[in-house]
Amino acid sequence: MPLSRSAILILIAAVLLVAQYAMAAPDTGAAQAPASAPVELTSRGFSGALRAVVVPPGESLQPHLSVPQGLKEAHWLAVGAHTQSPASVTQEGLKAPGQPGVWMLAPSQQGTSAHAVITPVHFDGSKTQLNGYRIGRWPARSAGRSGRYAPPELLIEVTRENQDFAVSEHFRLRNFLTKDQANVWPKYLVLDLRLVDKLELVLQELRAMGYQGKGLHVMSGFRTPQYNGPGEGGRARFSRHTYGDAADVWLDDDGDGQMDDLDGNGRVDVKDAAVLASAVDRVEQRVPGLVGGYGVYRANRVHGPFVHIDVRGTPARWGKR
């Protein structure tokens, strides 16, 4: 029996309504905060694995973290120490502690307890060290470079007590420290959490490709200008490592201290680094907001093959694959 005109119109309306609902429905494959946690999705990154936000002392935590309704009194506890700081709750929202450090909100609040707030130290570059820790001078200061090459002005203070704080599921503050001045504390670090987010996404991509993806070994993270030097020994003068948004890494699921045999040819070589680089490509295709450079490096007498990964904001590729 043929449908009437009114029945056909009702059927079309129903199909359009279902289609509209499907388009509005969230992608269940994307990492999301639990529905009960009033935390902005951006605070966990695209990977869903970030556990901290970096906010200058005394500034509002919006939109990084939302404040639970009814929160009137609270205080900040310094990670790895007994230091406390009053939590300033105003009509504009919760503000970051006024002192540098890594802080957790107490009493524990749903949606904020799983996140730390890192308040950095301001460094104007007029000196070459801070509290006895040698930093040096960014060459961009004398070269007049700006934009993404402007000298960083906010440094994270890393202490013996908070160095093991996990900024994400697989990475700790100490993983990104400059590899010198072993006995000098506190140390200072520039760390762009977008880099950490991208590294977590690379691990997720490697797992999707069939690898265990337990964690990436960070051979080199942040380098102070003093450590990086004036562009000698293969290090770029304006290296992204000195801006805290680059890391040299390899996958080491078997724990032998070098890149795994990712291509299965029975030896560890640059082809394994190329497999890791392909995971970076896939991440950048899915998340253009984390685009950057990567370089594929061969083994030498000091280290095995590895991949440089950064979030400079523009695509760059180098190294033989």
Side-chain angles (χ1 to χ4, degrees), residues 101-126:
V102 182
W103 305 88
M104 303 292 287
L105 189 65
S108 176
Q109 299 291 330
Q110 185 180 26
T112 56
S113 60
H115 263 67
V117 174
I118 301 174
T119 48
V121 177
H122 186 268
F123 182 72
D124 63 10
S126 60

Side-chain angles (χ1 to χ4, degrees), residues 143-158:
R145 301 287 287 269
S146 59
R148 67 175 183 265
Y149 287 98
E153 296 181 353
L154 297 174
L155 310 182
I156 297 172
E157 186 172 272
V158 182

Side-chain angles (χ1 to χ4, degrees), residues 281-294:
D281 269 328
R282 295 187 185 194
V283 168
E284 291 194 359
Q285 289 169 12
R286 288 196 297 112
V287 189
L290 296 178
V291 69
Y294 71 67

